[in-house]
Amino acid sequence: IDYAGLFPPASLPLTHALEEYENFLQCADNWMLGRFIIPAGKLADLPTLPEAWHFSVLGRGGSSALELDLSCLKDFRKTQAASADVFEVRLPMDVFASSSNLLEFINSASHQLTDKNNMIVFFEVTLDEAWRENIETAITTLAQHNQNMGHHNGFKLRTGGVVASAFPTAEQIAHAIILCRDHNLPFKATAGLHHPIRIYNDIVQTKMHGFINVFGAGILAHIHHLTPEQTIAILNDEDPQHFIFAETHFAWKNLRAASEQIKSIRQNQLISYGSCSFVEPRADMQKLGWH
């Protein structure tokens, strides 16, 4: 779980979020803790931090802003022992006017971030009325880029937010998972995955996706080459009893994934998800007896 305490709904001040993250690094569940997600513009506000700290940097988005972000990264590396090895950026909508525009943007950003700064880049797509085509275009173009350049950059999907409209459908999530599987792309999610199993939330008045649903569906889709319909069924399942954890495997109903298969997929394909809370996901798993 990448820690996104700076972002809604938590929206913690930087000092408070850093204190929280430091406490999480010391807790027994620190094996579940990923990187601290920080906007590039806030890197200069960080105190001096130890080598154990790892950051995922959130770009402003757009070609013109990349130079600002790179300048912030350069200053960060001059003063910090901590690492910033992941960069997340939203693809500008205008690059989808042609595949050559999109490839040019990805090539340029990757050259600056991957080749010169040794970072893995996750590119995010805005989910509008052209979501299906844009997801497919982004993933196929990114896969082409990775193959040509020997990179391992990935695709990022927004899985929720503070309003109902920010939550994608199960069909949209399944579409992204399957395309990333078919094109061997790393996948990460962000926002909305506070609970392990899909549940209705009164505050946002919509169904919130579960992180066990999303990552379980992704793992099983990889292993069993599931169809979109099969993947959607796992994403939509609200019964915790259908999800089984054992020492040697994870299963959803009659579909099983061995521990070694899960380890490989989690390291290379289904990387992480960002959450403004590191407490809620663990508390919910404790209630289900999974932690």
Side-chain angles (χ1 to χ4, degrees):
I1 301 173
D2 290 331
Y3 180 61
L6 295 175
F7 300 89
S11 300
L12 299 178
L14 179 60
T15 302
H16 189 176
L18 292 172
E19 290 173 354
E20 290 269 281
Y21 188 73
E22 185 172 25
N23 290 334
F24 297 145
L25 282 173
Q26 307 305 319
C27 77
D29 292 330
N30 60 10
W31 62 272
M32 296 173 60
L33 185 63
R35 295 168 176 83
F36 186 108
I37 300 177
I38 186 167
K42 285 189 175 292
L43 288 171
D45 299 330
L46 292 171
T48 302
L49 295 167
E51 190 176 354
W53 286 61
H54 299 275
F55 290 91
S56 181
V57 179
L58 188 63
R60 296 168 175 87
S63 304
S64 60
L66 184 58
E67 290 303 319
L68 288 173
D69 295 338
L70 288 168
S71 177
C72 293
L73 276 168
K74 184 178 179 181
D75 292 340
F76 169 85
R77 292 204 163 104
K78 286 180 181 177
T79 59
Q80 295 284 356
S83 69
D85 56 353
V86 172
F87 192 89
E88 307 175 26
V89 63
R90 188 190 297 264
L91 287 166
M93 292 304 297
D94 58 6
V95 301
F96 288 96
S98 72
S99 57
S100 61
N101 287 350
L102 178 58
L103 184 58
E104 181 180 353
F105 180 88
I106 290 174
N107 285 343
S108 175
S110 295
H111 174 64
Q112 296 292 334
L113 294 160
T114 304
D115 295 333
K116 291 188 174 183
N117 287 278
N118 198 29
M119 302 181 84
I120 294 175
V121 188
F122 284 89
F123 293 95
E124 180 184 347
V125 169
T126 300
L127 299 181
D128 60 6
E129 62 277 1
W131 65 267
R132 185 179 296 277
E133 295 81 7
N134 288 347
I135 289 176
E136 186 166 351
T137 301
I139 288 174
T140 54
T141 304
L142 184 52
Q144 177 189 344
H145 164 84
N146 281 355
Q147 185 174 14
N148 292 341
M149 304 304 296
H151 292 163
H152 200 55
N153 295 327
F155 181 80
K156 173 183 170 183
L157 183 70
R158 190 160 297 275
T159 45
V162 294
V163 293
S165 60
F167 287 79
T169 64
E171 180 185 8
Q172 290 171 321
I173 297 175
H175 189 60
I177 285 173
I178 288 173
L179 281 170
C180 285
R181 174 198 69 191
D182 293 345
H183 291 85
N184 195 32
L185 276 189
F187 170 94
K188 78 161 295 185
T190 185
L193 300 181
H194 286 223
H195 307 285
I197 299 299
R198 181 176 167 87
I199 189 172
Y200 184 82
N201 183 276
D202 291 326
I203 297 174
V204 292
Q205 296 188 334
T206 194
K207 295 283 182 72
M208 298 181 74
H209 298 289
F211 59 85
I212 296 298
N213 296 80
V214 172
F215 283 82
I219 287 164
L220 294 171
H222 275 73
I223 293 169
H224 298 283
H225 209 79
L226 300 183
T227 65
E229 292 74 21
Q230 291 172 307
T231 308
I232 289 169
I234 302 172
L235 291 168
N236 281 333
D237 196 342
E238 299 176 28
D239 188 345
Q241 295 186 15
H242 293 161
F243 298 83
I244 301 161
F245 291 91
E247 283 295 319
T248 58
H249 67 275
F250 158 77
W252 178 78
K253 295 186 176 180
N254 63 336
L255 295 174
R256 180 176 294 200
S259 296
E260 285 305 310
Q261 293 173 308
I262 295 169
K263 181 179 179 180
S264 175
I265 293 169
R266 289 281 290 105
Q267 287 177 340
N268 299 297
Q269 273 85 40
L270 299 166
I271 306 300
S272 66
Y273 75 93
S275 171
C276 71
S277 173
F278 188 63
V279 174
E280 284 185 10
R282 295 180 296 146
D284 274 13
M285 285 195 291
Q286 286 175 339
K287 291 175 184 176
L288 292 169
W290 291 346
H291 175 51

